[in-house]
Amino acid sequence: MFRPAAALLATLATLAACAPVPVNPDGSRQFGETRAFSRTSGTSMNVTPKGSTVEVAFASEAPPSFDELNQYVQATTGCRPGALLSTRSTYYNGATYQTFALVC
């Protein structure tokens, strides 16, 4: 008697986990607060607002131009990137993370 109910719940949980990622009008994908932008280099760049700062993640071999950085940060936060506060790289996924102050 409980087996059909358990199977139904497992199926519904699987379907809920496969919900599509929302796409913004500019083509970026929304992952919670983070927006993922497809770049002309074939890589992607993630922009995550964090209070009065913003974290930008991109492939280490393809750093963004200033115009590209400015465009994606403004699209995400409504503000421009200011001073570079920190930079870190990871070797396991080849990503660079930069944190900028926001200029609003």
Side-chain angles (χ1 to χ4, degrees):
M1 177 171 175
F2 290 109
R3 284 185 185 250
L8 178 62
L9 288 175
T11 302
L12 290 175
T14 303
L15 290 175
C18 295
V21 175
V23 178
N24 297 311
D26 62 5
S28 65
R29 296 192 161 286
Q30 194 78 34
F31 297 93
E33 292 289 316
T34 300
R35 288 177 73 172
F37 295 90
S38 295
R39 300 172 58 206
T40 56
S41 64
T43 62
S44 66
M45 185 165 85
N46 294 342
V47 180
T48 307
K50 295 187 173 192
S52 61
T53 64
V54 64
E55 182 179 75
V56 179
F58 53 88
S60 296
E61 71 272 3
S65 67
F66 178 76
D67 291 336
E68 189 176 32
L69 176 70
N70 196 27
Q71 174 188 354
Y72 295 152
V73 170
Q74 279 189 356
T76 303
T77 65
C79 301
R80 292 179 291 116
L84 177 62
L85 302 175
S86 69
T87 299
R88 65 184 170 86
S89 296
T90 58
Y91 294 107
Y92 70 91
N93 67 356
T96 297
Y97 298 85
Q98 294 182 330
T99 303
F100 293 90
L102 289 173
V103 178
C104 296

